[in-house]
Amino acid sequence: MSNITLTTLLAHKRSGEKITMLTCYDATFAATAADAGIEVLLVGDSLGMVLQGHDSTLPVSVEDMAYHTAAVKRGNKGALVLSDLPFMATATLEQTYANCATLMRAGAHMVKLEGGAWLTEAVTGLAERGIPSCVHLGLTPQSVNVFGGYKVQGRGDEQAEKLKAEALALEQAGAAMLLLECVPSPLAREISQAATIPVIGIGAGPDTDGQVLVLHDMLGLSLSGRTPKFVRNFMQDANSINQAIENYAQAVKQGNFPASEHEFSA
């Protein structure tokens, strides 16, 4: 696979080719996923739950994220590396810039921030300083205590309009990509069609520009024993982890995943 860049992802958006993204936390899986055709490796703060055994992402530190980003960089074979800013890493502009610099030095090509329109100043500042950003909207796990649990976001006309307005404001501010989590499929379609930057979905239906899943989820591994509605276990029809990841990449590219049973209604 030739090196995947933002230009590659924008070309996919314009041509209608789906973008493949998967979480990744170490060198071995970075090499495996890149070989399988995964275009974006998300070093997610989900590592707090799937690797560290916490019940949320909140305990994850910037140091944790930098460590795992560096590990992914060493195993990567041409994918774009996207790294999460963990809980409270964007509390002030100064913190945001310093923490982004740490992740970029560790090997990230782009950083991901959770939030809403309040991030516009930070997004603009990062773009001016040469740091591409992806903004995570909808169900943002770092705000789980505000939401009162892991709940679908953007239901109802008022919530939907607010989320769409925030997405377009963040694009205008300079965001390079958006990620929508647990958003009704019709709203995700609207946002994807209105935005000129790539929009990635997780539990946001089939009409976003690409898909992402947590690696452990799509391999059928879960500490809690609960499988989110938007997850498909790709190990069920595979003889190896490598084949499962290849099957996921192909299913996204061919538009076979997600299916109707993975969607949320408005």
Side-chain angles (χ1 to χ4, degrees):
M1 179 171 67
S2 58
N3 287 347
I4 301 296
T5 66
L6 269 175
T7 302
T8 313
L9 303 184
L10 283 167
H12 284 2
K13 163 89 175 181
R14 291 167 185 148
S15 69
E17 180 177 347
K18 297 293 186 180
I19 296 164
T20 58
M21 184 188 296
L22 198 60
T23 65
C24 190
Y25 316 102
D26 64 36
T28 301
F29 272 108
T32 302
D35 280 342
I38 300 299
E39 294 157 314
V40 183
L41 304 178
L42 169 59
V43 188
D45 60 359
S46 49
L47 67 87
M49 301 169 83
V50 300
L51 297 189
Q52 297 175 338
H54 298 299
D55 60 3
S56 75
T57 64
L58 303 190
V60 178
S61 68
V62 174
E63 290 74 24
D64 291 334
M65 295 307 307
Y67 174 90
H68 287 279
T69 298
V72 168
K73 177 193 176 183
R74 287 190 285 268
N76 183 29
K77 298 180 180 180
L80 186 146
V81 177
L82 171 62
S83 189
D84 262 343
L85 284 158
F87 180 64
M88 289 301 287
T90 57
T92 68
L93 277 178
E94 291 73 16
Q95 281 181 306
T96 303
Y97 296 154
N99 291 330
C100 285
T102 296
L103 296 183
M104 296 292 283
R105 290 189 187 105
H109 300 120
M110 188 189 312
V111 296
K112 181 164 77 64
L113 306 81
E114 288 189 16
W118 61 272
L119 286 169
T120 52
E121 185 178 3
V123 165
T124 298
L126 289 172
E128 290 171 347
R129 288 159 176 80
I131 299 177
S133 65
C134 170
V135 182
H136 185 154
L137 298 162
L139 172 57
T140 47
Q142 292 173 19
S143 301
V144 64
N145 291 313
V146 174
F147 295 146
Y150 297 95
K151 300 177 180 179
V152 178
Q153 301 297 306
R155 278 183 165 152
D157 292 345
E158 186 176 343
Q159 273 200 34
E161 284 302 317
K162 181 176 184 289
L163 191 54
K164 181 178 177 182
E166 288 189 317
L168 297 180
L170 287 158
E171 176 186 5
Q172 186 67 30
M177 190 157 63
L178 299 172
L179 191 151
L180 302 178
E181 180 171 356
C182 290
V183 169
S185 297
L187 174 59
R189 183 188 312 116
E190 275 189 47
I191 293 173
S192 300
Q193 291 173 347
T196 62
I197 56 176
V199 178
I200 308 298
I202 177 168
D207 298 316
T208 53
D209 303 306
Q211 299 292 329
V212 62
L213 282 179
V214 171
L215 172 68
H216 294 62
D217 286 346
M218 59 82 64
L219 293 178
L221 301 172
S222 172
L223 282 173
S224 68
R226 296 189 302 271
T227 301
K229 177 181 178 176
F230 53 78
V231 170
R232 174 178 158 190
N233 180 356
F234 284 86
M235 276 301 296
Q236 289 180 329
D237 301 311
N239 296 319
S240 67
I241 288 173
N242 303 58
Q243 186 183 352
I245 296 175
E246 288 176 5
N247 290 349
Y248 164 71
Q250 290 171 8
V252 172
K253 287 289 185 186
Q254 294 167 2
N256 298 326
F257 176 80
S260 58
E261 63 264 28
H262 306 117
E263 297 183 54
F264 295 105
S265 59

